Amino acid sequence: MAPFISRRLRKGAATTAVAAAAMAALTASQAPGVVSTDHGDRNQEQRAGEPAPDDTPIDGGSSYHTDLPPLVTPDKPGSSTDLPGLPGGSSIKPEAGIPASVLAAYKKAEAALRESNPGCNLPWQLLAAIGKVESGQARGGNVDAGGTTVSPILGPVLDGNGFALIKDTDGGAYDGDSAHDRAVGPMQFIPSTWASWGRDGNGDGKKDPNNIYDAALAAGSYLCAGGRDLSVKAHLDRAILGYNHSQEYLNTVLSWFEYYKRGTHEVPDGAGVLPANGGSGGGSGSGNKGSGKDGGKGKDQGKGKEENAHTLPKPSDENGNSTPTPTPKPGSGDETPGSPTPKPPTTPPPGTPSGPGKLTAVGARELSATAGTHFARSPRVKAVDAAGKPVAGVRVRYEILGETGARFIGLVRSATVPTGADGTATAPKLHAGEKTGAFTVRATAVGQEVAPVEFAATVKARPVPQADALARLDDKELTAPAGGSFAGPLTVTATNKGKATAGVPVTATMITSAEHPDPADKGPYFLDGAGKPVRALTALKTDASGQLTLPEIRTGDQAGTFLLRLTTEGGAVLDVELTVTQADAS
């Protein structure tokens, strides 16, 4: 395998020397005016004459992978450097492979922006370079058939401890943390940034930072912002620095950008090469991605706080989050991706038992929510010892059991949360999903032989929107000759207490008369999905504006006056007169 030029960048002189060597071989020279005095100080890295980017970079000043592309030793002294996977190269190297769904997402984003913003000149290889540095191409392409990561990719907690201090902006909706933000997904957006730049890249009507198609289009849109032309070196540098304002980050992204421009190939999803020291999950986090920046504050620069962060991996959980705790005992290492970052257990006072005597439910054990909403209250338990005193630091695992669409934040079925000083542990926010019915949430103490606590949860159907009035958009008479169709659409509006109402079920029935509204067996009719005549339709609903346009109405072969009745669940009734004349004898 081709040798790597410093898999993990070191701080200080080593960083400068290695990065310079790599960039000399892989990229063009930097644009004039780039100032770089301290890799951790955002304010010292802006170009001369240009304002600094926004205070908060797109990934929130989170950590990132610092691996550089491999180089092949030249056959002759002084000959040019070759890159693997290129015509004339010895073989296609795995580092040049990009997982299929991830590669498709990058190219789809490039095509979309070429149409919507052709002046940007966004190359998909730039998205690939950022995706490599931010998440190792979605942890080697660990995505499902729709491009959504199998497990959440979360950056470290941005609590000011070695990274930027960014307090929670999304209520934990994306990152599962209601105290501070974390970078989320394969392109590592912080929630506040996603709120502005989130895009629907796969056309499913959702903007999901965990979906590679959505995330790639969002990243491309950001890089193209402000009228940038990425074929211009100064614009390209500024776009990358806006993503993460660090000279080291810029150098690393540019090295992969040049590498991918020289040649790459598709590999199956899940078969991508994970970054060095990437752990089994290959995700983000300070332990797996290194600490090439500190959130723009230059915190502890030159003090050696993370002197070996790029060479020796720190202990990490399955999220890739660095943890200060020692290696857990057998049976306790089941941290669930997407769960909040565990805090070090609080040291119990002398004489306190090593584990809880039992778990008890806090609050009601029956939960309910409407389909498509969040449960108002999360399951909560308390760990106590034999004397009934709270026990801190107990790892409580919450699991969703049963056939249900409900999931914890991060779209996971289980999450592990440590008890606090009061002995309580609250499950992450629980989303009901769309499937109605009952399921169970079970809480267990990890590695402890205590009885579990179960919560009964129910997802109720959405309430049916109702309307108390129906009205036509026009009062035009509906007249047509037998054997034909009524011209023009018949559109009605449903209102409830004077307000147009969306999603109202409407039934359309041909009836014999207003006094005797029996279903008619002759006269005008509709066509069902199979093209057969029917005189009643029930699967009708008003649109987002509260309107409903009925399907084509056929006249039938008999002349006369007929009645169409429209009704709603809320009691609204509208009768529409239909007149059928004799067919033209000519």
Side-chain angles (χ1 to χ4, degrees):
M1 179 177 290
F4 275 84
I5 298 299
S6 181
R7 280 184 175 274
R8 313 300 271 178
L9 292 177
R10 293 176 182 271
K11 293 185 177 180
T15 300
T16 305
V18 172
M23 293 303 294
L26 291 170
T27 68
S29 61
Q30 297 294 327
V34 176
V35 180
S36 178
T37 58
D38 187 314
H39 292 313
D41 189 345
R42 169 186 306 139
N43 296 323
Q44 297 297 322
E45 293 178 353
Q46 65 194 71
R47 270 179 296 283
E50 292 186 357
D54 293 340
D55 288 341
T56 304
I58 198 168
D59 66 1
S62 187
S63 57
Y64 59 90
H65 293 294
T66 55
D67 300 32
L68 291 174
L71 298 176
V72 175
T73 303
D75 293 333
K76 298 179 181 179
S79 62
S80 63
T81 301
D82 194 10
L83 292 174
L86 306 177
S90 58
S91 63
I92 294 180
K93 296 297 189 292
E95 293 84 1
I98 299 178
S101 293
V102 179
L103 180 59
Y106 296 151
K107 292 184 176 180
K108 184 178 177 68
E110 178 195 56
L113 287 162
R114 184 187 306 120
E115 181 175 345
S116 64
N117 191 353
C120 173
N121 295 305
L122 171 77
W124 66 261
Q125 292 91 340
L126 178 58
L127 295 175
I130 292 174
K132 177 70 173 179
V133 171
E134 291 290 346
S135 70
Q137 309 297 19
R139 288 178 176 157
N142 189 24
V143 297
D144 62 20
T148 300
T149 56
V150 174
S151 59
I153 300 176
L154 299 175
V157 178
L158 299 175
D159 57 2
N161 184 20
F163 299 101
L165 172 60
I166 303 179
K167 294 185 177 181
D168 175 66
T169 60
D170 66 331
Y174 290 121
D175 55 17
D177 191 325
S178 59
H180 298 91
D181 273 348
R182 303 172 70 174
V184 179
M187 301 304 280
Q188 290 288 275
F189 279 82
I190 55 171
S192 58
T193 309
W194 183 258
S196 300
W197 292 100
R199 298 290 186 271
D200 177 15
N202 59 356
D204 65 354
K206 302 177 182 178
K207 298 177 182 179
D208 183 3
N210 297 297
N211 183 277
I212 184 59
Y213 291 94
D214 294 358
L217 181 58
S221 299
Y222 172 81
L223 293 168
C224 288
R228 294 187 185 116
D229 178 356
L230 298 180
S231 65
V232 177
K233 185 66 168 63
H235 290 200
L236 174 66
D237 288 356
R238 186 174 184 180
I240 297 171
L241 286 170
Y243 211 107
N244 185 309
H245 205 75
S246 159
Q247 187 67 39
E248 182 181 329
Y249 181 88
L250 174 65
N251 291 348
T252 306
V253 170
L254 286 174
S255 68
W256 282 106
F257 178 41
E258 292 298 325
Y259 180 74
Y260 287 137
K261 285 200 301 182
R262 295 282 301 277
T264 186
H265 58 277
E266 178 184 302
V267 299
D269 288 343
V273 175
L274 296 178
N277 299 326
S280 60
S284 61
S286 59
N288 288 341
K289 295 174 74 177
S291 303
K293 57 192 169 151
D294 67 358
K297 295 186 178 184
K299 183 174 182 177
D300 292 333
Q301 286 295 313
K303 296 182 180 180
K305 179 178 179 182
E306 295 180 307
E307 185 177 5
N308 297 319
H310 302 303
T311 56
L312 296 176
K314 299 178 182 178
S316 60
D317 60 23
E318 290 182 10
N319 288 333
N321 297 313
S322 160
T323 63
T325 57
T327 303
K329 297 179 180 179
S332 64
D334 62 344
E335 191 62 28
T336 304
S339 63
T341 304
K343 297 179 181 179
T346 303
T347 304
T352 301
S354 58
K358 64 177 180 178
L359 294 179
T360 61
V362 178
R365 294 174 64 170
E366 295 184 354
L367 314 171
S368 66
T370 302
T373 67
H374 284 90
F375 281 80
R377 187 175 60 84
S378 295
R380 189 181 185 193
V381 297
K382 185 174 185 178
V384 296
D385 61 16
K389 296 181 179 180
V391 181
V394 177
R395 299 174 67 230
V396 177
R397 181 181 178 85
Y398 288 97
E399 296 178 272
I400 297 173
L401 308 177
E403 294 295 325
T404 177
R407 295 291 185 270
F408 293 119
I409 289 300
L411 303 179
V412 295
R413 292 183 69 102
S414 62
T416 302
V417 184
T419 58
D422 62 353
T424 63
T426 303
K429 188 175 292 185
L430 184 62
H431 190 270
E434 296 296 336
K435 183 180 178 63
T436 60
F439 64 96
T440 300
V441 178
R442 177 181 294 166
T444 56
V446 176
Q448 306 291 335
E449 295 183 359
V450 296
V453 175
E454 293 189 346
F455 297 82
T458 304
V459 178
K460 302 176 182 179
R462 298 173 186 265
V464 177
Q466 298 187 355
D468 55 22
L470 284 171
R472 291 182 58 184
L473 288 190
D474 59 55
D475 56 0
K476 180 180 178 182
E477 293 185 0
L478 295 176
T479 303
S485 300
F486 290 93
L490 172 57
T491 302
V492 298
T493 300
T495 58
N496 193 46
K497 297 180 180 179
K499 294 184 178 180
T501 308
V504 175
V506 178
T507 298
T509 308
M510 301 294 178
I511 60 175
T512 54
S513 68
E515 296 77 16
H516 303 284
D518 298 321
D521 58 2
K522 59 184 178 181
Y525 60 89
F526 302 101
L527 293 178
D528 65 11
K532 296 181 180 180
V534 293
R535 291 185 170 86
L537 294 176
T538 57
L540 303 173
K541 286 187 178 181
T542 58
D543 60 18
S545 62
Q547 295 184 357
L548 168 66
T549 298
L550 272 68
E552 179 185 34
I553 304 175
R554 301 292 181 94
T555 61
D557 297 327
Q558 185 173 346
T561 300
F562 304 90
L563 207 58
L564 168 63
R565 172 163 288 184
L566 305 175
T567 60
T568 71
E569 187 78 15
V573 178
L574 174 65
D575 289 338
V576 179
E577 190 174 272
L578 305 174
T579 302
V580 180
T581 61
Q582 292 288 348
D584 188 352
S586 60

